[in-house]
Amino acid sequence: IGSGLVGSEMCIRDSLRGVYDIGGVRVDVIDVTGFYVCGMSYPYTPFSFSAMGASVGYSTVTVRENFCTGYEEYSYYNVPDRALSSDESYIPGFPTTGSLRNGQLLSKILYDDDGGKVEETNYIYTVDRQETVKGFKAYIPLIFSTFSTSEFDYIYARFYDTVSERWNLTREITTTYDPNNYGSNYGTPSVQFYKDYKYLSSNDLPSMVSYGNSDKSIRQIQYKYSTDYADQMSQKMKNRNLVNKPLETIYMCDGSVTKAEKTSYIDTLGLILPKIVYALKASSPLSLSMYSSFYRKKYSIDLYNKHGKIVQMSEKDNIPVTYLWGYKSIYPIAEIRNATYNEVAMHLRNMDSFENSLSPIMTSIENLRSLLKKSLITTYTYKVPWGIQKIVSPTGMNTTYNY
């Protein structure tokens, strides 16, 4: 298919097999079993599950940065698409049945520069949701268009099955190996540890990750999303498909909470943005039933600009920190500790001019050092689009970067 051979246009009576030129478009008729398979040199008739037409899958990829530091080998799930059965005869545009597992990372192996196995990680997946969905396709073959006396004389229509699945990474097993001898394959596993993932039906992201190793201790990280809460703000987040940000993260060891962090959000400027971040403050591990009473404010975000960028926040001791933005409000150009946004604005005539400028003039901002004597001011200039060009610290020390 697509070999460059172009046949002449011809009238088809007894057999559809052949190569045709229809209006300058190459058409290869491969087989006829009631319907036919049509191969075209144009990419809008895909031959695989991929929307690009003919996907190429890699089973193994080896990454080597140089020849003295070893290499990594990645293995992936990779199977060809399944041809439709005879009663689902393929016509152009009908998808074949591809595996939704294709592309899953199965293993990662680290070798030393002598080819000895140093570390191996294997990945295990399970499917927890599977559903067959009916699709419908109608097609008027281009090859018959010249014979048609009406638009629907030669139309093929058919239902087909497509599968909707959810495959989850459920376990990672990592093994490290002790060397037997220099240059030989590594032998006896020295350390093996695992990561287990758990999921809820309401979210495709993990709700719990458990870590285990040779010392038999079990560490866990629990994630809670907007899908886990019923309050008004969480409902707004779900309605706007903001379900991928953890609202609360809980760290546990052997069932007791050792660390936790929680974020509350507000609806402002037409956006849902963080308002207060809380952190656990406790001198010893806590039980799951009482840890939430030990949350204390870590910092709060007091003010955003019209672009949704932070311009004032307060730390746990309520010391204000102001941020100024430039370069079309993409990059921060100043951090001013121990001054509110309004205090800074009193000394700068037009705050919007800094945000809108592609090359803000820093003179007036540098002058704030003498005007706000109790504040610690750090300024930043950039070389767009490469990155930061100069940092001036609160003590006046310059750090420059060259590109």
Side-chain angles (χ1 to χ4, degrees), residues 12 16 22 36 140-149 154 156:
I12 304 170
L16 291 175
I22 307 297
Y36 63 86
I140 300 175
L142 179 63
I143 201 170
F144 288 146
S145 61
T146 56
F147 308 142
S148 176
T149 57
Y154 299 95
Y156 293 155

Side-chain angles (χ1 to χ4, degrees), residues 7-37:
S8 59
E9 185 175 351
M10 55 189 300
C11 181
I12 304 170
R13 297 182 183 277
D14 300 326
S15 175
L16 291 175
R17 296 183 180 88
V19 181
Y20 311 97
D21 184 358
I22 307 297
V25 177
R26 174 197 167 103
V27 178
D28 294 25
V29 179
I30 300 172
D31 198 5
V32 182
T33 54
F35 298 119
Y36 63 86
V37 175

Side-chain angles (χ1 to χ4, degrees), residues 84-98:
L84 297 178
S85 59
S86 59
D87 62 338
E88 297 173 306
S89 299
Y90 186 99
I91 66 174
F94 270 50
T96 54
T97 302

Side-chain angles (χ1 to χ4, degrees), residues 83-247:
L84 297 178
S85 59
S86 59
D87 62 338
E88 297 173 306
S89 299
Y90 186 99
I91 66 174
F94 270 50
T96 54
T97 302
S99 174
L100 296 181
R101 293 192 61 190
N102 276 348
Q104 288 179 352
L105 178 62
L106 300 180
S107 68
K108 172 187 175 183
I109 304 176
L110 174 64
Y111 296 90
D112 64 16
D113 56 343
D114 295 307
K117 186 186 294 185
V118 178
E119 183 180 275
E120 179 178 4
T121 302
N122 291 285
Y123 303 87
I124 300 172
Y125 302 83
T126 57
V127 59
D128 71 344
R129 188 184 303 164
Q130 191 174 52
E131 181 182 2
T132 300
V133 180
K134 283 291 185 182
F136 178 77
K137 188 76 174 185
Y139 176 70
I140 300 175
L142 179 63
I143 201 170
F144 288 146
S145 61
T146 56
F147 308 142
S148 176
T149 57
S150 71
E151 188 175 358
F152 304 106
D153 280 352
Y154 299 95
I155 184 170
Y156 293 155
R158 192 175 184 86
F159 288 97
Y160 64 92
D161 291 335
T162 185
V163 178
S164 174
E165 297 175 338
R166 186 173 90 159
W167 285 88
N168 296 323
L169 173 63
T170 52
R171 171 166 275 210
E172 296 179 25
I173 304 173
T174 300
T175 306
T176 59
Y177 295 88
D178 287 327
N180 291 328
N181 292 295
Y182 178 77
S184 66
N185 285 333
Y186 284 33
T188 306
S190 60
V191 177
Q192 186 176 77
F193 60 92
Y194 66 86
K195 290 170 64 176
D196 283 340
Y197 298 82
K198 292 184 179 180
Y199 301 82
L200 298 176
S201 60
S202 58
N203 201 305
D204 291 338
L205 297 174
S207 61
M208 177 85 74
V209 180
S210 300
Y211 301 79
N213 53 37
S214 55
D215 67 4
K216 307 301 183 182
S217 66
I218 299 177
R219 294 176 294 118
Q220 295 176 316
I221 303 177
Q222 184 177 358
Y223 300 97
K224 294 185 178 182
Y225 308 91
S226 59
T227 50
D228 299 315
Y229 297 95
D231 60 277
Q232 185 177 4
M233 184 54 62
S234 296
Q235 292 297 321
K236 283 187 176 182
M237 295 182 74
K238 285 188 286 186
N239 292 339
R240 299 187 192 183
N241 293 319
L242 297 175
V243 298
N244 63 335
K245 292 182 178 293
L247 304 190

